[in-house]
Amino acid sequence: GDKVKQSPSALSLQEGTNSALRCNFSIAATTVQWFLQNPRGSLINLFYLVPGTKENGRLKSTFNSKESYSTLHIRDAQLEDSGTYFCAAEDGNMGYKLTFGTGTSLLVDP
Amino acid sequence: GALVYQYPRRTICKSGTSMRMECQAVGFQATSVAWYRQSPQKTFELIALSTVNSAIKYEQNFTQEKFPISHPNLSFSSMTVLNAYLEDRGLYLCGAPDRANTEVFFGKGTRLTVV
């Protein structure tokens, strides 16, 4: 099965609303990264997390290693937040290696 | 963050031919470089992890015979897709961790189309 399960797979939000994306891990995740893939395919680094929480503007992310999940909260969604969000976990048992989730396709409507 | 450049951004090759893509780390030392592929409508699969002065580790379903990688120094890596077919099309990304921790920064990718 999927080592990193990401949900939802697709999401449509109205501008100004809030939402949360989630990743559940079946590997021994030691660190987590969240990326936004823009329409041209580039991966933009959003967060790098050891267990704990980080916040950057309208985005906030938490990594709970004991319960094997991570969340990405989007507050006051804007049109430019549209794109595909990926989480990726470093597997502590495999040395340096990122295992990606299946992505969440987000569309923010005016 | 660290900068990673990839070249070319896009390439088209005929079925059965080969193409080489390059990855350059700027402003930091890329001791390790990971090559990933994102096939159409899919997530990112790790092809191989290359560490300078160590053997390259290929993931299951990927081989050195098909995806030979060179990592001659701390700023450059290249990978060739040999004998490319339709199933090899996709976006190929190289990523390298920042030396301070293991945060990985990716290049903008090489998009391979096979015709």
Side-chain angles (χ1 to χ4, degrees), chain A residues 31 33 35 37 40-43 45 48 86 90 96-98 100-102, chain B residues 34 36 38 43-44 46 49 59 91 93 101-106 108 111:
Chain A
T31 67
Q33 288 188 242
F35 300 93
Q37 187 175 33
R40 297 187 69 182
S42 301
L43 284 179
N45 287 45
Y48 169 78
F86 288 93
E90 181 185 359
Y96 156 63
K97 172 184 173 179
L98 281 183
F100 280 79
T102 48
Chain B
Y36 287 82
Q38 184 184 35
T43 190
F44 297 89
L46 178 64
L49 176 63
E59 290 293 294
L91 180 68
L93 288 175
N101 52 35
T102 56
E103 182 174 7
V104 179
F105 293 89
F106 288 91
K108 293 184 185 295
R111 191 170 294 280

PDB file of all heavy atoms in Angstrom, chain A residues 31 33 35 37 40-43 45 48 86 90 96-98 100-102, chain B residues 34 36 38 43-44 46 49 59 91 93 101-106 108 111:
ATOM      1  N   THR A  31      11.526  13.479   9.141  1.00  0.00           N
ATOM      2  CA  THR A  31      11.246  14.859   8.758  1.00  0.00           C
ATOM      3  C   THR A  31      10.198  14.849   7.657  1.00  0.00           C
ATOM      4  O   THR A  31       9.998  13.835   6.980  1.00  0.00           O
ATOM      5  CB  THR A  31      12.498  15.607   8.250  1.00  0.00           C
ATOM      6  OG1 THR A  31      12.929  15.029   7.025  1.00  0.00           O
ATOM      7  CG2 THR A  31      13.622  15.559   9.272  1.00  0.00           C
ATOM      8  N   GLN A  33       8.508  17.357   4.412  1.00  0.00           N
ATOM      9  CA  GLN A  33       8.516  18.580   3.615  1.00  0.00           C
ATOM     10  C   GLN A  33       7.179  18.710   2.905  1.00  0.00           C
ATOM     11  O   GLN A  33       6.566  17.701   2.524  1.00  0.00           O
ATOM     12  CB  GLN A  33       9.645  18.566   2.568  1.00  0.00           C
ATOM     13  CG  GLN A  33      11.021  18.728   3.192  1.00  0.00           C
ATOM     14  CD  GLN A  33      12.112  18.907   2.151  1.00  0.00           C
ATOM     15  OE1 GLN A  33      13.025  18.096   2.033  1.00  0.00           O
ATOM     16  NE2 GLN A  33      12.050  19.988   1.388  1.00  0.00           N
ATOM     17  N   PHE A  35       5.474  20.752  -0.415  1.00  0.00           N
ATOM     18  CA  PHE A  35       5.804  21.461  -1.645  1.00  0.00           C
ATOM     19  C   PHE A  35       4.524  21.889  -2.353  1.00  0.00           C
ATOM     20  O   PHE A  35       3.488  21.237  -2.235  1.00  0.00           O
ATOM     21  CB  PHE A  35       6.577  20.560  -2.625  1.00  0.00           C
ATOM     22  CG  PHE A  35       7.883  20.023  -2.109  1.00  0.00           C
ATOM     23  CD1 PHE A  35       7.938  18.786  -1.482  1.00  0.00           C
ATOM     24  CD2 PHE A  35       9.066  20.740  -2.282  1.00  0.00           C
ATOM     25  CE1 PHE A  35       9.129  18.270  -1.023  1.00  0.00           C
ATOM     26  CE2 PHE A  35      10.272  20.228  -1.825  1.00  0.00           C
ATOM     27  CZ  PHE A  35      10.299  19.005  -1.196  1.00  0.00           C
ATOM     28  N   GLN A  37       3.501  22.394  -6.286  1.00  0.00           N
ATOM     29  CA  GLN A  37       3.944  22.254  -7.674  1.00  0.00           C
ATOM     30  C   GLN A  37       3.144  23.226  -8.530  1.00  0.00           C
ATOM     31  O   GLN A  37       1.906  23.158  -8.573  1.00  0.00           O
ATOM     32  CB  GLN A  37       3.755  20.830  -8.192  1.00  0.00           C
ATOM     33  CG  GLN A  37       4.351  20.615  -9.576  1.00  0.00           C
ATOM     34  CD  GLN A  37       4.278  19.177 -10.041  1.00  0.00           C
ATOM     35  OE1 GLN A  37       3.340  18.443  -9.723  1.00  0.00           O
ATOM     36  NE2 GLN A  37       5.276  18.755 -10.807  1.00  0.00           N
ATOM     37  N   ARG A  40       3.884  24.855 -14.216  1.00  0.00           N
ATOM     38  CA  ARG A  40       5.008  24.491 -15.066  1.00  0.00           C
ATOM     39  C   ARG A  40       5.768  23.270 -14.545  1.00  0.00           C
ATOM     40  O   ARG A  40       6.699  22.788 -15.196  1.00  0.00           O
ATOM     41  CB  ARG A  40       5.965  25.677 -15.210  1.00  0.00           C
ATOM     42  CG  ARG A  40       5.316  26.866 -15.885  1.00  0.00           C
ATOM     43  CD  ARG A  40       6.314  27.948 -16.164  1.00  0.00           C
ATOM     44  NE  ARG A  40       7.260  27.557 -17.206  1.00  0.00           N
ATOM     45  CZ  ARG A  40       8.255  28.298 -17.629  1.00  0.00           C
ATOM     46  NH1 ARG A  40       8.470  29.476 -17.080  1.00  0.00           N
ATOM     47  NH2 ARG A  40       9.056  27.895 -18.575  1.00  0.00           N
ATOM     48  N   GLY A  41       5.377  22.807 -13.371  1.00  0.00           N
ATOM     49  CA  GLY A  41       5.987  21.594 -12.838  1.00  0.00           C
ATOM     50  C   GLY A  41       7.003  21.809 -11.737  1.00  0.00           C
ATOM     51  O   GLY A  41       7.402  20.851 -11.074  1.00  0.00           O
ATOM     52  N   SER A  42       7.408  23.028 -11.517  1.00  0.00           N
ATOM     53  CA  SER A  42       8.425  23.302 -10.500  1.00  0.00           C
ATOM     54  C   SER A  42       7.881  23.045  -9.104  1.00  0.00           C
ATOM     55  O   SER A  42       6.725  23.341  -8.823  1.00  0.00           O
ATOM     56  CB  SER A  42       8.888  24.754 -10.603  1.00  0.00           C
ATOM     57  OG  SER A  42       9.422  25.024 -11.869  1.00  0.00           O
ATOM     58  N   LEU A  43       8.729  22.500  -8.242  1.00  0.00           N
ATOM     59  CA  LEU A  43       8.367  22.263  -6.837  1.00  0.00           C
ATOM     60  C   LEU A  43       8.878  23.436  -6.008  1.00  0.00           C
ATOM     61  O   LEU A  43      10.073  23.713  -5.976  1.00  0.00           O
ATOM     62  CB  LEU A  43       8.985  20.969  -6.329  1.00  0.00           C
ATOM     63  CG  LEU A  43       8.343  19.665  -6.770  1.00  0.00           C
ATOM     64  CD1 LEU A  43       9.108  18.476  -6.195  1.00  0.00           C
ATOM     65  CD2 LEU A  43       6.888  19.591  -6.354  1.00  0.00           C
ATOM     66  N   ASN A  45       9.396  24.915  -2.321  1.00  0.00           N
ATOM     67  CA  ASN A  45       9.471  24.483  -0.917  1.00  0.00           C
ATOM     68  C   ASN A  45       8.566  25.365  -0.050  1.00  0.00           C
ATOM     69  O   ASN A  45       8.702  26.586  -0.050  1.00  0.00           O
ATOM     70  CB  ASN A  45      10.914  24.585  -0.408  1.00  0.00           C
ATOM     71  CG  ASN A  45      11.813  23.508  -0.972  1.00  0.00           C
ATOM     72  OD1 ASN A  45      11.771  23.242  -2.169  1.00  0.00           O
ATOM     73  ND2 ASN A  45      12.620  22.925  -0.123  1.00  0.00           N
ATOM     74  N   TYR A  48       9.777  22.723   5.822  1.00  0.00           N
ATOM     75  CA  TYR A  48      10.625  21.602   6.219  1.00  0.00           C
ATOM     76  C   TYR A  48      10.401  21.441   7.711  1.00  0.00           C
ATOM     77  O   TYR A  48      10.617  22.378   8.476  1.00  0.00           O
ATOM     78  CB  TYR A  48      12.088  21.893   5.903  1.00  0.00           C
ATOM     79  CG  TYR A  48      13.057  20.912   6.501  1.00  0.00           C
ATOM     80  CD1 TYR A  48      13.245  19.664   5.927  1.00  0.00           C
ATOM     81  CD2 TYR A  48      13.783  21.234   7.648  1.00  0.00           C
ATOM     82  CE1 TYR A  48      14.139  18.758   6.477  1.00  0.00           C
ATOM     83  CE2 TYR A  48      14.674  20.342   8.199  1.00  0.00           C
ATOM     84  CZ  TYR A  48      14.852  19.097   7.618  1.00  0.00           C
ATOM     85  OH  TYR A  48      15.742  18.203   8.164  1.00  0.00           O
ATOM     86  N   PHE A  86       2.164  18.694  -2.440  1.00  0.00           N
ATOM     87  CA  PHE A  86       2.717  17.381  -2.115  1.00  0.00           C
ATOM     88  C   PHE A  86       3.387  17.427  -0.751  1.00  0.00           C
ATOM     89  O   PHE A  86       4.108  18.383  -0.430  1.00  0.00           O
ATOM     90  CB  PHE A  86       3.780  16.959  -3.142  1.00  0.00           C
ATOM     91  CG  PHE A  86       3.233  16.588  -4.482  1.00  0.00           C
ATOM     92  CD1 PHE A  86       3.137  17.542  -5.485  1.00  0.00           C
ATOM     93  CD2 PHE A  86       2.823  15.291  -4.753  1.00  0.00           C
ATOM     94  CE1 PHE A  86       2.634  17.204  -6.739  1.00  0.00           C
ATOM     95  CE2 PHE A  86       2.319  14.947  -5.998  1.00  0.00           C
ATOM     96  CZ  PHE A  86       2.227  15.905  -6.990  1.00  0.00           C
ATOM     97  N   GLU A  90      10.878  11.940   4.971  1.00  0.00           N
ATOM     98  CA  GLU A  90      12.170  11.275   5.005  1.00  0.00           C
ATOM     99  C   GLU A  90      12.016  10.047   5.894  1.00  0.00           C
ATOM    100  O   GLU A  90      11.541  10.146   7.027  1.00  0.00           O
ATOM    101  CB  GLU A  90      13.240  12.220   5.558  1.00  0.00           C
ATOM    102  CG  GLU A  90      14.629  11.617   5.599  1.00  0.00           C
ATOM    103  CD  GLU A  90      15.645  12.537   6.265  1.00  0.00           C
ATOM    104  OE1 GLU A  90      15.275  13.652   6.672  1.00  0.00           O
ATOM    105  OE2 GLU A  90      16.810  12.119   6.378  1.00  0.00           O
ATOM    106  N   TYR A  96      18.859   8.841   3.852  1.00  0.00           N
ATOM    107  CA  TYR A  96      18.260   9.996   3.203  1.00  0.00           C
ATOM    108  C   TYR A  96      17.442   9.545   2.002  1.00  0.00           C
ATOM    109  O   TYR A  96      17.967   9.051   1.028  1.00  0.00           O
ATOM    110  CB  TYR A  96      19.351  10.962   2.759  1.00  0.00           C
ATOM    111  CG  TYR A  96      18.915  11.848   1.637  1.00  0.00           C
ATOM    112  CD1 TYR A  96      17.877  12.742   1.811  1.00  0.00           C
ATOM    113  CD2 TYR A  96      19.500  11.758   0.394  1.00  0.00           C
ATOM    114  CE1 TYR A  96      17.448  13.534   0.774  1.00  0.00           C
ATOM    115  CE2 TYR A  96      19.078  12.555  -0.647  1.00  0.00           C
ATOM    116  CZ  TYR A  96      18.054  13.444  -0.445  1.00  0.00           C
ATOM    117  OH  TYR A  96      17.629  14.224  -1.475  1.00  0.00           O
ATOM    118  N   LYS A  97      16.137   9.672   2.090  1.00  0.00           N
ATOM    119  CA  LYS A  97      15.257   9.344   0.966  1.00  0.00           C
ATOM    120  C   LYS A  97      13.905   9.983   1.246  1.00  0.00           C
ATOM    121  O   LYS A  97      13.379   9.845   2.340  1.00  0.00           O
ATOM    122  CB  LYS A  97      15.087   7.827   0.862  1.00  0.00           C
ATOM    123  CG  LYS A  97      14.048   7.391  -0.146  1.00  0.00           C
ATOM    124  CD  LYS A  97      13.864   5.883  -0.136  1.00  0.00           C
ATOM    125  CE  LYS A  97      12.702   5.484  -1.029  1.00  0.00           C
ATOM    126  NZ  LYS A  97      12.509   4.014  -1.047  1.00  0.00           N
ATOM    127  N   LEU A  98      13.364  10.700   0.258  1.00  0.00           N
ATOM    128  CA  LEU A  98      12.039  11.303   0.401  1.00  0.00           C
ATOM    129  C   LEU A  98      11.010  10.429  -0.287  1.00  0.00           C
ATOM    130  O   LEU A  98      11.182  10.073  -1.451  1.00  0.00           O
ATOM    131  CB  LEU A  98      11.997  12.689  -0.239  1.00  0.00           C
ATOM    132  CG  LEU A  98      12.596  13.863   0.520  1.00  0.00           C
ATOM    133  CD1 LEU A  98      12.377  15.150  -0.268  1.00  0.00           C
ATOM    134  CD2 LEU A  98      11.986  13.978   1.910  1.00  0.00           C
ATOM    135  N   PHE A 100       7.158  10.550  -1.470  1.00  0.00           N
ATOM    136  CA  PHE A 100       6.126  11.548  -1.729  1.00  0.00           C
ATOM    137  C   PHE A 100       4.722  10.991  -1.557  1.00  0.00           C
ATOM    138  O   PHE A 100       4.463   9.809  -1.826  1.00  0.00           O
ATOM    139  CB  PHE A 100       6.253  12.076  -3.162  1.00  0.00           C
ATOM    140  CG  PHE A 100       7.324  13.116  -3.339  1.00  0.00           C
ATOM    141  CD1 PHE A 100       8.654  12.751  -3.448  1.00  0.00           C
ATOM    142  CD2 PHE A 100       7.000  14.463  -3.402  1.00  0.00           C
ATOM    143  CE1 PHE A 100       9.649  13.713  -3.599  1.00  0.00           C
ATOM    144  CE2 PHE A 100       7.976  15.434  -3.568  1.00  0.00           C
ATOM    145  CZ  PHE A 100       9.309  15.045  -3.665  1.00  0.00           C
ATOM    146  N   GLY A 101       3.825  11.875  -1.131  1.00  0.00           N
ATOM    147  CA  GLY A 101       2.403  11.573  -1.171  1.00  0.00           C
ATOM    148  C   GLY A 101       1.894  11.699  -2.604  1.00  0.00           C
ATOM    149  O   GLY A 101       2.641  12.070  -3.512  1.00  0.00           O
ATOM    150  N   THR A 102       0.627  11.407  -2.777  1.00  0.00           N
ATOM    151  CA  THR A 102       0.035  11.390  -4.119  1.00  0.00           C
ATOM    152  C   THR A 102      -0.475  12.752  -4.562  1.00  0.00           C
ATOM    153  O   THR A 102      -0.929  12.900  -5.683  1.00  0.00           O
ATOM    154  CB  THR A 102      -1.105  10.374  -4.184  1.00  0.00           C
ATOM    155  OG1 THR A 102      -1.951  10.571  -3.042  1.00  0.00           O
ATOM    156  CG2 THR A 102      -0.571   8.956  -4.158  1.00  0.00           C
TER     157      THR A 102
ATOM    158  N   ALA B  34      19.511  13.342  -5.552  1.00  0.00           N
ATOM    159  CA  ALA B  34      18.473  12.345  -5.805  1.00  0.00           C
ATOM    160  C   ALA B  34      17.770  12.682  -7.110  1.00  0.00           C
ATOM    161  O   ALA B  34      17.449  13.846  -7.368  1.00  0.00           O
ATOM    162  CB  ALA B  34      17.469  12.326  -4.655  1.00  0.00           C
ATOM    163  N   TYR B  36      14.405  11.983  -9.393  1.00  0.00           N
ATOM    164  CA  TYR B  36      13.024  11.530  -9.309  1.00  0.00           C
ATOM    165  C   TYR B  36      12.365  11.638 -10.680  1.00  0.00           C
ATOM    166  O   TYR B  36      12.767  12.464 -11.515  1.00  0.00           O
ATOM    167  CB  TYR B  36      12.214  12.401  -8.334  1.00  0.00           C
ATOM    168  CG  TYR B  36      12.524  12.195  -6.880  1.00  0.00           C
ATOM    169  CD1 TYR B  36      13.621  12.815  -6.303  1.00  0.00           C
ATOM    170  CD2 TYR B  36      11.720  11.403  -6.082  1.00  0.00           C
ATOM    171  CE1 TYR B  36      13.908  12.647  -4.957  1.00  0.00           C
ATOM    172  CE2 TYR B  36      11.999  11.220  -4.733  1.00  0.00           C
ATOM    173  CZ  TYR B  36      13.096  11.849  -4.187  1.00  0.00           C
ATOM    174  OH  TYR B  36      13.374  11.680  -2.850  1.00  0.00           O
ATOM    175  N   GLN B  38       8.373  12.061 -12.281  1.00  0.00           N
ATOM    176  CA  GLN B  38       6.930  12.205 -12.124  1.00  0.00           C
ATOM    177  C   GLN B  38       6.301  11.855 -13.464  1.00  0.00           C
ATOM    178  O   GLN B  38       6.379  12.633 -14.411  1.00  0.00           O
ATOM    179  CB  GLN B  38       6.552  13.625 -11.706  1.00  0.00           C
ATOM    180  CG  GLN B  38       5.052  13.783 -11.447  1.00  0.00           C
ATOM    181  CD  GLN B  38       4.668  15.206 -11.120  1.00  0.00           C
ATOM    182  OE1 GLN B  38       5.238  16.155 -11.658  1.00  0.00           O
ATOM    183  NE2 GLN B  38       3.687  15.378 -10.222  1.00  0.00           N
ATOM    184  N   THR B  43       2.582  10.566  -8.855  1.00  0.00           N
ATOM    185  CA  THR B  43       3.438  11.257  -7.914  1.00  0.00           C
ATOM    186  C   THR B  43       4.899  11.044  -8.292  1.00  0.00           C
ATOM    187  O   THR B  43       5.221  10.532  -9.350  1.00  0.00           O
ATOM    188  CB  THR B  43       3.151  10.808  -6.472  1.00  0.00           C
ATOM    189  OG1 THR B  43       3.832  11.678  -5.577  1.00  0.00           O
ATOM    190  CG2 THR B  43       3.600   9.384  -6.220  1.00  0.00           C
ATOM    191  N   PHE B  44       5.781  11.427  -7.413  1.00  0.00           N
ATOM    192  CA  PHE B  44       7.200  11.372  -7.694  1.00  0.00           C
ATOM    193  C   PHE B  44       7.795  10.036  -7.239  1.00  0.00           C
ATOM    194  O   PHE B  44       7.645   9.641  -6.091  1.00  0.00           O
ATOM    195  CB  PHE B  44       7.918  12.516  -6.961  1.00  0.00           C
ATOM    196  CG  PHE B  44       7.475  13.866  -7.431  1.00  0.00           C
ATOM    197  CD1 PHE B  44       6.405  14.505  -6.840  1.00  0.00           C
ATOM    198  CD2 PHE B  44       8.123  14.485  -8.487  1.00  0.00           C
ATOM    199  CE1 PHE B  44       5.974  15.747  -7.283  1.00  0.00           C
ATOM    200  CE2 PHE B  44       7.706  15.724  -8.940  1.00  0.00           C
ATOM    201  CZ  PHE B  44       6.630  16.353  -8.348  1.00  0.00           C
ATOM    202  N   LEU B  46      11.315   7.895  -6.724  1.00  0.00           N
ATOM    203  CA  LEU B  46      12.763   8.010  -6.638  1.00  0.00           C
ATOM    204  C   LEU B  46      13.406   7.022  -7.597  1.00  0.00           C
ATOM    205  O   LEU B  46      13.084   5.832  -7.582  1.00  0.00           O
ATOM    206  CB  LEU B  46      13.225   7.733  -5.200  1.00  0.00           C
ATOM    207  CG  LEU B  46      14.728   7.777  -4.954  1.00  0.00           C
ATOM    208  CD1 LEU B  46      15.281   9.188  -5.192  1.00  0.00           C
ATOM    209  CD2 LEU B  46      15.054   7.318  -3.539  1.00  0.00           C
ATOM    210  N   LEU B  49      19.662   7.478  -5.729  1.00  0.00           N
ATOM    211  CA  LEU B  49      20.341   8.437  -4.862  1.00  0.00           C
ATOM    212  C   LEU B  49      21.837   8.310  -5.109  1.00  0.00           C
ATOM    213  O   LEU B  49      22.399   7.216  -4.984  1.00  0.00           O
ATOM    214  CB  LEU B  49      20.020   8.145  -3.399  1.00  0.00           C
ATOM    215  CG  LEU B  49      20.736   9.014  -2.379  1.00  0.00           C
ATOM    216  CD1 LEU B  49      20.321  10.468  -2.541  1.00  0.00           C
ATOM    217  CD2 LEU B  49      20.442   8.530  -0.969  1.00  0.00           C
ATOM    218  N   GLU B  59      16.630   2.542  -6.996  1.00  0.00           N
ATOM    219  CA  GLU B  59      15.413   1.984  -6.426  1.00  0.00           C
ATOM    220  C   GLU B  59      14.932   0.819  -7.298  1.00  0.00           C
ATOM    221  O   GLU B  59      15.349   0.656  -8.458  1.00  0.00           O
ATOM    222  CB  GLU B  59      14.318   3.056  -6.369  1.00  0.00           C
ATOM    223  CG  GLU B  59      14.591   4.128  -5.351  1.00  0.00           C
ATOM    224  CD  GLU B  59      14.525   3.607  -3.940  1.00  0.00           C
ATOM    225  OE1 GLU B  59      13.434   3.199  -3.489  1.00  0.00           O
ATOM    226  OE2 GLU B  59      15.576   3.605  -3.271  1.00  0.00           O
ATOM    227  N   LEU B  91       8.303  14.135 -16.048  1.00  0.00           N
ATOM    228  CA  LEU B  91       9.120  15.212 -15.523  1.00  0.00           C
ATOM    229  C   LEU B  91      10.197  14.605 -14.635  1.00  0.00           C
ATOM    230  O   LEU B  91       9.886  13.910 -13.661  1.00  0.00           O
ATOM    231  CB  LEU B  91       8.251  16.185 -14.722  1.00  0.00           C
ATOM    232  CG  LEU B  91       8.967  17.381 -14.109  1.00  0.00           C
ATOM    233  CD1 LEU B  91       9.451  18.339 -15.191  1.00  0.00           C
ATOM    234  CD2 LEU B  91       8.044  18.103 -13.132  1.00  0.00           C
ATOM    235  N   LEU B  93      13.182  15.225 -12.059  1.00  0.00           N
ATOM    236  CA  LEU B  93      13.663  16.241 -11.128  1.00  0.00           C
ATOM    237  C   LEU B  93      14.921  15.750 -10.418  1.00  0.00           C
ATOM    238  O   LEU B  93      15.017  14.580 -10.049  1.00  0.00           O
ATOM    239  CB  LEU B  93      12.612  16.538 -10.059  1.00  0.00           C
ATOM    240  CG  LEU B  93      11.368  17.311 -10.473  1.00  0.00           C
ATOM    241  CD1 LEU B  93      10.408  17.403  -9.311  1.00  0.00           C
ATOM    242  CD2 LEU B  93      11.748  18.714 -10.911  1.00  0.00           C
ATOM    243  N   ASN B 101      20.912  20.724   6.996  1.00  0.00           N
ATOM    244  CA  ASN B 101      20.004  19.683   7.474  1.00  0.00           C
ATOM    245  C   ASN B 101      19.661  18.813   6.277  1.00  0.00           C
ATOM    246  O   ASN B 101      20.457  18.709   5.363  1.00  0.00           O
ATOM    247  CB  ASN B 101      18.749  20.303   8.106  1.00  0.00           C
ATOM    248  CG  ASN B 101      18.083  21.313   7.185  1.00  0.00           C
ATOM    249  OD1 ASN B 101      18.074  21.134   5.959  1.00  0.00           O
ATOM    250  ND2 ASN B 101      17.550  22.373   7.751  1.00  0.00           N
ATOM    251  N   THR B 102      18.538  18.207   6.279  1.00  0.00           N
ATOM    252  CA  THR B 102      18.206  17.348   5.145  1.00  0.00           C
ATOM    253  C   THR B 102      17.091  17.921   4.294  1.00  0.00           C
ATOM    254  O   THR B 102      16.455  17.198   3.549  1.00  0.00           O
ATOM    255  CB  THR B 102      17.809  15.943   5.647  1.00  0.00           C
ATOM    256  OG1 THR B 102      16.723  16.085   6.568  1.00  0.00           O
ATOM    257  CG2 THR B 102      18.978  15.248   6.304  1.00  0.00           C
ATOM    258  N   GLU B 103      16.835  19.232   4.396  1.00  0.00           N
ATOM    259  CA  GLU B 103      15.832  19.826   3.526  1.00  0.00           C
ATOM    260  C   GLU B 103      16.309  19.727   2.080  1.00  0.00           C
ATOM    261  O   GLU B 103      17.434  20.116   1.764  1.00  0.00           O
ATOM    262  CB  GLU B 103      15.565  21.284   3.877  1.00  0.00           C
ATOM    263  CG  GLU B 103      14.486  21.903   3.005  1.00  0.00           C
ATOM    264  CD  GLU B 103      14.103  23.309   3.425  1.00  0.00           C
ATOM    265  OE1 GLU B 103      14.782  23.862   4.316  1.00  0.00           O
ATOM    266  OE2 GLU B 103      13.123  23.849   2.870  1.00  0.00           O
ATOM    267  N   VAL B 104      15.457  19.201   1.235  1.00  0.00           N
ATOM    268  CA  VAL B 104      15.810  18.970  -0.164  1.00  0.00           C
ATOM    269  C   VAL B 104      15.277  20.098  -1.029  1.00  0.00           C
ATOM    270  O   VAL B 104      14.116  20.505  -0.904  1.00  0.00           O
ATOM    271  CB  VAL B 104      15.235  17.628  -0.652  1.00  0.00           C
ATOM    272  CG1 VAL B 104      15.586  17.404  -2.128  1.00  0.00           C
ATOM    273  CG2 VAL B 104      15.775  16.486   0.196  1.00  0.00           C
ATOM    274  N   PHE B 105      16.139  20.598  -1.906  1.00  0.00           N
ATOM    275  CA  PHE B 105      15.747  21.601  -2.886  1.00  0.00           C
ATOM    276  C   PHE B 105      15.831  20.986  -4.271  1.00  0.00           C
ATOM    277  O   PHE B 105      16.794  20.291  -4.596  1.00  0.00           O
ATOM    278  CB  PHE B 105      16.656  22.832  -2.777  1.00  0.00           C
ATOM    279  CG  PHE B 105      16.461  23.566  -1.481  1.00  0.00           C
ATOM    280  CD1 PHE B 105      17.205  23.220  -0.358  1.00  0.00           C
ATOM    281  CD2 PHE B 105      15.535  24.581  -1.374  1.00  0.00           C
ATOM    282  CE1 PHE B 105      17.019  23.879   0.853  1.00  0.00           C
ATOM    283  CE2 PHE B 105      15.346  25.256  -0.180  1.00  0.00           C
ATOM    284  CZ  PHE B 105      16.084  24.899   0.943  1.00  0.00           C
ATOM    285  N   PHE B 106      14.815  21.259  -5.061  1.00  0.00           N
ATOM    286  CA  PHE B 106      14.735  20.657  -6.379  1.00  0.00           C
ATOM    287  C   PHE B 106      14.977  21.674  -7.485  1.00  0.00           C
ATOM    288  O   PHE B 106      14.661  22.866  -7.342  1.00  0.00           O
ATOM    289  CB  PHE B 106      13.352  20.023  -6.596  1.00  0.00           C
ATOM    290  CG  PHE B 106      13.138  18.765  -5.806  1.00  0.00           C
ATOM    291  CD1 PHE B 106      12.582  18.814  -4.539  1.00  0.00           C
ATOM    292  CD2 PHE B 106      13.515  17.542  -6.327  1.00  0.00           C
ATOM    293  CE1 PHE B 106      12.389  17.654  -3.802  1.00  0.00           C
ATOM    294  CE2 PHE B 106      13.323  16.372  -5.603  1.00  0.00           C
ATOM    295  CZ  PHE B 106      12.762  16.429  -4.334  1.00  0.00           C
ATOM    296  N   LYS B 108      14.054  22.797 -11.500  1.00  0.00           N
ATOM    297  CA  LYS B 108      12.749  22.979 -12.141  1.00  0.00           C
ATOM    298  C   LYS B 108      12.377  21.797 -13.028  1.00  0.00           C
ATOM    299  O   LYS B 108      11.270  21.747 -13.563  1.00  0.00           O
ATOM    300  CB  LYS B 108      12.747  24.270 -12.968  1.00  0.00           C
ATOM    301  CG  LYS B 108      12.844  25.534 -12.109  1.00  0.00           C
ATOM    302  CD  LYS B 108      12.738  26.776 -12.978  1.00  0.00           C
ATOM    303  CE  LYS B 108      12.954  28.041 -12.167  1.00  0.00           C
ATOM    304  NZ  LYS B 108      11.906  28.242 -11.157  1.00  0.00           N
ATOM    305  N   ARG B 111      11.501  18.027 -18.667  1.00  0.00           N
ATOM    306  CA  ARG B 111      10.296  17.323 -19.120  1.00  0.00           C
ATOM    307  C   ARG B 111      10.640  16.556 -20.392  1.00  0.00           C
ATOM    308  O   ARG B 111      11.039  17.146 -21.396  1.00  0.00           O
ATOM    309  CB  ARG B 111       9.150  18.287 -19.386  1.00  0.00           C
ATOM    310  CG  ARG B 111       7.820  17.570 -19.601  1.00  0.00           C
ATOM    311  CD  ARG B 111       6.653  18.528 -19.619  1.00  0.00           C
ATOM    312  NE  ARG B 111       6.426  19.189 -18.342  1.00  0.00           N
ATOM    313  CZ  ARG B 111       5.799  18.635 -17.310  1.00  0.00           C
ATOM    314  NH1 ARG B 111       5.338  17.400 -17.401  1.00  0.00           N
ATOM    315  NH2 ARG B 111       5.619  19.326 -16.199  1.00  0.00           N
TER     316      ARG B 111
END
